[in-house]
Amino acid sequence: MRKIFGILSIIIVLFLIFSVLSGINVERIDIAGSTSVQPLAEQLTTEYSKNKPNIKINVQGGGSGMGIRSASQGLADIGMSSKELSDDEIKNIDVVEIGKEGIVVGVHNSNPVDDLTTDELKKIFSGEINNWKELGGNDEEIHVITREDGSGTRSAFESIVMDDKDIKNDAIVQSSTESVKQAVASDDAAIGYMSLAHMGDEVRPVKINGIVASEENIANGQYELQRPFLFLVNKDYSNATSEFLEWVKSSEGTKIIEDAKIIPSN
Amino acid sequence: MNREKINEFLIEKGLFITAIFSIIIIFTILIFIVMEALPAFQEYGFFRFMFGMEWSPNDDNFGVFTMILGSIFVTFLALMMAVPLSLLCAFFMEEIAPNKVKIFLKPVIQTLAGIPSVVYGFFGLTVLVPLVREYFGGTGFSIFTASLILAVMILPTIISVSQDAIKSVPHDFKEASFGLGSTNWQTIRLIIFPAALPGIVTAIILGIGRAIGETLAVIMVAGNVVQIPGSIFDPVRTLTTNIALEMGYATGLHYNALFGTAVILFIIIIILLIIANYIQNKHGMDIGGGTL
């Protein structure tokens, strides 16, 4: 019995020493926030830490709101947000825009409608237009699929398309880009919005005001449905954090951002 | 002598601490949830919160009544499907099935319990939702779809717990019944079922607990629309999905309101447990002797 205790306590002591030591040598950067920015942030950090063994970067989700909160309260070194900050939120935060992302409106592959104006979109999502027939499609009720309140994609979509109108109350709510895509892919009367980076051939993107959702059109601003990807840092950030942010802006970082179908900002 | 006394004392207290540990955890969680929810109740008003029809965090409207209904409808419909199915299955396995079948059935049902809920959800989203849309109209995201998935998810819980209840009915009861010339079905219906009833009620309550608390699978197939459904083929939002959907983004009063939703869920579950205890006690006495 005593032996076991002895061995156990040695293991615990060793473990403690080890974790303290590794904590001294390694510098940590905590990143948290928008789940839309998260995959990109993960790619950036994996690439970055390959050459920097003594920096440990930890990326967490939680949503844009959480990103803003953790940056302003200093809970994380970098907060991620996929929506612009209000004046109230921006108080003690520095904003670094790393890129722009397009939001794509997708319909079922068999749907004949392939061009919508922002005004038509607004009417569809607010419930004024209920049938595909009115848009030159088949005589079928439109099934509107939206994201949950607070989602970065939703708030971007609302501020660009909806202005004063609300998305109709009986629209189906899905909790991720992936499940919106699934829902649209399996329903020939559905319409939903999702980020360009997650597009696949399961659903067909429609043109907005006659303009295709391509990287070029997003970069030059012609395609209207786009939102910023922001890194938020508390005003007194560490050296490690600023080095990382510089690297993100370098050509190496820019390439990764481009590969993820995000349009880097200069 | 002295040493034995100390040992005895230590063991007794040690057991006491482990026993009280779960109670401490429950109370810690309860206090934390209520504390976090309090600002929402104070600022918005408890009754307005509970019976409010409108939930729109952006306009500071926090009424959860539609979600209370949503949770109850989905759970109730799931029970309607799962209870008869699983009780019959439990009786079959315990009383009728030959050993060979039993050996095969038991692990299969256990596997059903082991499938993660996200897998159920994804199956529902890609298979059931289109099917329901095709045969019943609407969008396919509905109370019906959600309860179908939930029914499958709670089957193993109800089956295995009620199976234990059936197994624990004393063998004498059965022998006496056969001795009086009853058939197998009469024995099951008139002797074993009433004797096992308290255990079966427990099984159903555990099933309700699982169904009302399930979140991930429901999020994917229920449509999550805040409204009072007109039929079982309309989409709904349940209490649990409301919390899971918006927790990541919530700040301020919205954040507190989500904890308020959790408090309501807690209250519903406590009410259910009280009802279950009441039924159990009452039937326990009816059977006589209080031996069961």
Side-chain angles (χ1 to χ4, degrees):
Chain A
M1 199 60 178
R2 236 178 229 167
K3 250 189 193 167
I4 296 177
F5 269 119
I7 294 170
L8 264 183
S9 45
I10 288 173
I11 292 175
I12 291 172
V13 168
L14 279 180
F15 182 74
L16 284 178
I17 292 174
F18 187 73
S19 49
V20 167
L21 279 183
S22 59
I24 290 169
N25 282 332
V26 171
E27 226 168 327
R28 280 175 62 101
I29 302 180
D30 284 318
I31 304 180
S34 164
T35 45
S36 322
V37 189
Q38 193 185 1
L40 175 63
E42 270 162 8
Q43 282 167 22
L44 284 169
T45 53
T46 339
E47 206 52 44
Y48 184 66
S49 26
K50 266 185 197 162
N51 309 323
K52 309 246 173 185
N54 53 349
I55 286 192
K56 196 170 165 352
I57 309 183
N58 179 19
V59 183
Q60 280 180 357
S64 294
M66 160 141 175
I68 296 167
R69 228 180 317 150
S70 30
S72 71
Q73 296 172 4
L75 301 174
D77 299 294
I78 301 177
M80 301 176 281
S81 170
S82 51
K83 57 180 177 196
E84 297 287 358
L85 276 65
S86 65
D87 294 341
D88 191 31
E89 289 165 332
I90 213 159
K91 264 184 268 165
N92 51 352
I93 295 179
D94 277 346
V95 178
V96 181
E97 184 179 298
I98 56 173
K100 284 194 162 68
E101 189 204 37
I103 296 171
V104 178
V105 175
V107 294
H108 192 261
N109 277 325
S110 71
N111 197 319
V113 176
D114 79 339
D115 190 349
L116 294 169
T117 64
T118 30
D119 193 51
E120 280 168 336
L121 269 184
K122 185 168 147 188
K123 283 183 176 153
I124 294 171
F125 277 84
S126 63
E128 269 176 69
I129 297 181
N130 283 314
N131 200 307
W132 283 110
K133 198 171 54 180
E134 294 170 57
L135 302 161
N138 306 327
D139 182 12
E140 252 180 316
E141 199 194 327
I142 301 178
H143 295 156
V144 174
I145 295 167
T146 182
R147 291 286 305 277
E148 70 278 16
D149 263 316
S151 140
T153 320
R154 177 176 177 146
S155 59
F157 183 84
E158 277 179 332
S159 64
I160 301 164
V161 177
M162 305 304 290
D163 340 300
D164 48 330
K165 288 265 169 59
D166 285 330
I167 290 181
K168 63 175 180 172
N169 282 330
D170 59 348
I172 298 294
V173 180
Q174 286 294 314
S175 58
S176 70
T177 284
E178 209 51 46
S179 39
V180 171
K181 197 166 77 182
Q182 270 307 326
V184 175
S186 64
D187 183 354
D188 56 12
I191 185 168
Y193 52 87
M194 56 211 86
S195 57
L196 179 67
H198 291 87
M199 273 302 284
D201 1 311
E202 299 101 313
V203 298
R204 200 164 52 75
V206 294
K207 288 183 215 153
I208 306 296
N209 300 328
I211 290 164
V212 184
S214 68
E215 282 156 44
E216 199 190 337
N217 289 338
I218 292 165
N220 64 25
Q222 283 199 356
Y223 185 79
E224 278 180 48
L225 270 60
Q226 50 172 273
R227 59 170 168 164
F229 272 15
L230 307 174
F231 272 172
L232 313 171
V233 280
N234 206 297
K235 289 241 156 94
D236 43 56
Y237 49 85
S238 67
N239 276 338
T241 309
S242 71
E243 259 173 51
F244 173 66
L245 288 176
E246 265 166 40
W247 178 83
V248 168
K249 287 284 176 188
S250 74
S251 59
E252 240 177 299
T254 310
K255 188 170 178 313
I256 295 166
I257 297 175
E258 276 170 349
D259 285 347
K261 290 200 197 167
I262 310 295
I263 292 77
S265 35
N266 3 337
Chain B
M1 182 63 193
N2 210 5
R3 213 186 137 136
E4 263 173 31
K5 252 190 184 165
I6 292 172
N7 266 350
E8 193 71 7
F9 176 81
L10 283 180
I11 288 170
E12 203 182 299
K13 293 303 166 206
L15 288 178
F16 175 71
I17 288 171
T18 42
I20 208 162
F21 194 65
S22 58
I23 299 179
I24 293 174
I25 291 177
I26 287 266
F27 273 97
T28 323
I29 293 176
L30 187 61
I31 290 168
F32 176 73
I33 293 177
V34 172
M35 294 268 281
E36 290 284 353
L38 222 50
F41 293 156
Q42 279 167 346
E43 260 179 65
Y44 198 73
F46 182 74
F47 286 99
R48 218 172 125 216
F49 183 81
M50 187 153 169
F51 296 109
M53 294 290 186
E54 213 172 314
W55 176 274
S56 48
N58 293 335
D59 312 324
D60 280 336
N61 273 322
F62 303 106
V64 296
F65 192 64
T66 53
M67 300 167 209
I68 297 177
L69 287 184
S71 277
I72 292 174
F73 285 160
V74 168
T75 308
F76 185 71
L77 195 63
L79 282 181
M80 298 268 287
M81 298 185 223
V83 168
L85 209 61
S86 43
L87 287 192
L88 293 176
C89 178
F91 278 114
F92 173 74
M93 280 175 67
E94 217 35 65
E95 299 296 329
I96 300 164
N99 256 336
K100 272 186 197 163
V101 179
K102 230 164 123 178
I103 286 169
F104 177 71
L105 263 183
K106 193 141 192 163
V108 171
I109 289 168
Q110 280 164 349
T111 315
L112 215 54
I115 297 175
S117 53
V118 64
V119 176
Y120 278 113
F122 199 66
F123 173 77
L125 178 61
T126 51
V127 180
L128 288 183
V129 169
L131 275 180
V132 171
R133 182 188 312 127
E134 201 168 311
Y135 289 103
F136 302 102
T139 56
F141 295 95
S142 64
I143 300 180
F144 181 72
T145 327
S147 28
L148 213 57
I149 289 277
L150 282 179
V152 180
M153 291 179 77
I154 63 178
L155 271 181
T157 314
I158 305 185
I159 292 176
S160 56
V161 178
S162 50
Q163 215 184 340
D164 288 341
I166 295 165
K167 205 185 282 173
S168 65
V169 173
H171 212 65
D172 309 359
F173 285 29
K174 226 164 112 180
E175 276 167 5
S177 168
F178 284 143
L180 289 168
S182 326
T183 61
N184 207 348
W185 172 234
Q186 281 172 326
T187 310
I188 290 176
R189 191 162 50 100
L190 300 171
I191 306 295
I192 298 177
F193 178 68
L197 196 60
I200 289 173
V201 172
T202 311
I204 294 173
I205 293 294
L206 285 177
I208 296 180
R210 174 102 206 257
I212 212 167
E214 177 52 45
T215 315
L216 203 53
V218 178
I219 276 193
M220 295 171 89
V221 300
N224 309 316
V225 176
V226 182
Q227 63 172 14
I228 292 195
S231 82
I232 59 168
F233 300 110
D234 280 350
V236 283
R237 182 181 291 197
T238 66
L239 291 164
T240 49
T241 53
N242 187 46
I243 301 173
L245 272 176
E246 294 176 6
M247 208 50 182
Y249 314 109
T251 45
L253 199 60
H254 185 194
Y255 181 80
N256 299 121
L258 290 180
F259 275 100
T261 318
V263 170
I264 304 284
L265 197 62
F266 226 98
I267 293 174
I268 293 180
I269 288 171
I270 288 172
I271 292 174
L272 279 176
L273 284 178
I274 292 172
I275 295 174
N277 268 331
Y278 174 74
I279 294 177
Q280 236 169 337
N281 286 338
K282 204 173 153 215
H283 280 276
M285 271 182 280
D286 278 347
I287 290 159
T291 47
L292 288 170

